């Protein structure tokens, strides 16, 4: 269609409804293809980690070793024993699925979800092995104990705007680089399971809340345990980590846990919601957007 504009003739194409419908289908196909590629890349990433990380590889070998054991047992068990074993296997599988579904809803990190589901799978596998033979259950218990000793669950390796620093680098940043800026610091030790379970929180929060007035960094006190007191952290044991401190002007103004904190046996774990609420990250982001 040709129309007359202020600067002369302007050509504006007019598409038929059939052509517009074709373009809509084409756009949907492109979006679906992008989603499929993203899902396949995630799947490839996790399969690569299962092969390259000894923690995942050893667990996979231990779990899949039940398949040949089960096939061999089917040849020697009576029909009644086989039916009883199958009944127990179905019960264990359904219970595991229920627990895994609950965990995938409640946990905020894949590291915590994987840790919990592997723990449940070990219990159910040992219980099923006990139905077959107590020697087999003992073998699995020893195998999982060896895996626990020689392999460690990998920490979060995804994207984020946080920076890993040494204690000396952190001290320099707090005292020499824009002291009026807020610095959200996670003190952790990747040799402990609690820190691994929470290792994705700071990188993921940094994607949403980091700006010119707020930066996120991590410090591994497992490598520098003598530097804990310098930042006001009472480190009786590495299992007291992670600890979070919000610094400004070189001073810690908000801490989690608090300085006079006493550990309790039954206590809610650290979560991204707790960090946002305790450090008022939403308010800090709004203040930055409003120019305060």
């Amino acid at each position: 269609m040709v129309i007359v504009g202020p600067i002369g003739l302007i050509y504006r194409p007019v598409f038929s409804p059939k052509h517009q419908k074709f373009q809509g289908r084409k756009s949907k196909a492109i979006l679906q293809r992008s989603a499929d590629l993203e899902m396949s890349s995630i799947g490839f990433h996790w399969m690569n980690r299962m092969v390259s990380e000894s923690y995942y590889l050893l667990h996979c070998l231990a779990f899949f070793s039940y398949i040949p054991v089960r096939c061999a047992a089917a040849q020697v068990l009576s029909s009644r024993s086989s039916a009883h074993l199958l009944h127990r296997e179905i019960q264990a599988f359904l219970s595991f699925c229920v627990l895994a579904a609950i965990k995938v809803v409640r946990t905020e990190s894949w590291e915590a979800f994987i840790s919990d589901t592997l723990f449940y799978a070990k219990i159910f596998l040992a219980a099923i092995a006990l139905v077959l033979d107590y020697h087999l259950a003992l073998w699995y218990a020893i195998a999982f104990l060896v895996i626990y000793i020689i392999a460690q669950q990998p920490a979060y390796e995804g994207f984020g705007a946080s920076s890993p620093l040494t204690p000396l680098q952190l001290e320099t940043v707090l005292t020499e680089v824009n002291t009026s800026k807020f610095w959200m610091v996670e003190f952790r030790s990747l040799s402990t399971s609690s820190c691994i379970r929470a290792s994705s929180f700071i990188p993921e929060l940094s994607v949403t809340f980091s700006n010119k007035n707020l930066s996120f960094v991590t410090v591994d006190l497992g490598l520098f345990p003598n530097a804990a007191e310098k930042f006001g952290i009472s480190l009786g044991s590495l299992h007291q980590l992670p600890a979070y401190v919000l610094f400004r002007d070189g001073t810690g103004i908000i801490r989690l846990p608090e300085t006079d904190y006493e550990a309790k046996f039954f206590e809610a774990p650290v979560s991204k919601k707790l960090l946002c609420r305790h450090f008022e990250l939403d308010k800090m982001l709004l203040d930055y957007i409003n120019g305060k």
Side-chain angles (χ1 to χ4, degrees):
M1 181 176 63
V2 179
I3 61 175
V4 178
I7 57 174
L9 297 178
I10 301 176
Y11 174 74
R12 178 181 296 172
V14 177
F15 299 106
S16 64
K18 185 176 181 180
H19 185 273
Q20 293 177 353
K21 188 176 181 180
F22 172 76
Q23 291 293 332
R25 290 179 178 177
K26 187 176 180 181
S27 300
K28 291 181 179 179
I30 293 174
L31 292 175
Q32 183 63 37
R33 186 178 180 183
S34 300
D36 293 341
L37 288 173
E38 183 178 357
M39 291 299 295
S40 62
S41 64
I42 294 174
F44 177 78
H45 169 72
W46 278 105
M47 292 207 42
N48 182 54
R49 292 194 72 180
M50 286 184 181
V51 175
S52 60
E53 297 286 353
S54 60
Y55 178 82
Y56 297 120
L57 179 61
L58 292 175
H59 276 93
C60 286
L61 293 176
F63 290 131
F64 281 107
S65 68
Y66 180 74
I67 296 177
V69 171
R70 181 66 173 85
C71 294
Q75 304 297 325
V76 298
L77 292 177
S78 63
S79 58
R80 182 177 180 180
S81 298
S82 295
H84 176 69
L85 177 60
L86 179 61
H87 180 68
R88 295 303 183 190
E89 287 173 338
I90 294 174
Q91 285 182 330
F93 178 74
L94 293 178
S95 300
F96 173 77
C97 289
V98 170
L99 290 174
I102 293 174
K103 281 297 176 182
V104 78
V105 172
R106 291 187 176 182
T107 55
E108 289 191 339
S109 70
W110 280 109
E111 288 73 23
F113 172 73
I114 291 172
S115 176
D116 291 337
T117 51
L118 284 179
F119 176 72
Y120 297 145
K122 294 173 189 177
I123 293 177
F124 287 123
L125 182 58
I128 291 298
L130 189 61
V131 175
L132 276 172
D133 185 71
Y134 76 92
H135 293 94
L136 181 61
L138 182 61
W139 185 90
Y140 275 119
I142 294 174
F144 290 135
L145 179 61
V146 171
I147 294 175
Y148 175 78
I149 294 173
I150 67 175
Q152 183 182 26
Q153 183 181 3
Y156 175 79
E157 296 179 356
F159 297 103
S162 60
S163 303
L165 300 179
T166 65
L168 182 59
Q169 291 172 331
L170 176 61
E171 188 175 7
T172 302
V173 162
L174 295 177
T175 56
E176 299 180 7
V177 181
N178 192 5
T179 56
S180 62
K181 184 176 182 177
F182 291 97
W183 296 89
M184 178 75 171
V185 184
E186 178 192 40
F187 295 96
R188 61 185 184 180
S189 173
L190 294 183
S191 61
T192 62
S193 61
S194 58
C195 293
I196 292 174
R197 293 166 66 93
S199 59
S200 65
F201 293 163
I202 288 297
E204 291 177 355
L205 289 174
S206 67
V207 173
T208 304
F209 296 102
S210 61
N211 52 66
K212 293 181 180 179
N213 296 335
L214 175 63
S215 292
F216 293 78
V217 300
T218 60
V219 177
D220 194 339
L221 290 182
L223 303 176
F224 309 95
N226 296 329
E229 293 184 4
K230 184 183 298 184
F231 299 102
I233 297 176
S234 178
L235 194 61
S237 171
L238 291 177
H239 293 281
Q240 296 176 351
L241 299 175
Y244 302 87
V245 183
L246 183 67
F247 288 94
R248 190 178 192 184
D249 296 328
T251 305
I253 56 176
I254 306 177
R255 296 174 178 271
L256 182 71
E258 302 291 348
T259 306
D260 56 351
Y261 167 79
E262 292 184 2
K264 298 178 181 178
F265 187 77
F266 293 102
E267 185 176 24
V270 176
S271 64
K272 287 187 290 185
K273 292 181 181 179
L274 175 61
L275 292 174
C276 289
R277 182 174 65 252
H278 188 81
F279 291 97
E280 298 182 337
L281 297 181
D282 294 325
K283 180 178 180 299
M284 294 175 66
L285 180 60
L286 289 176
D287 289 344
Y288 169 74
I289 294 173
N290 296 327
K292 295 183 180 179

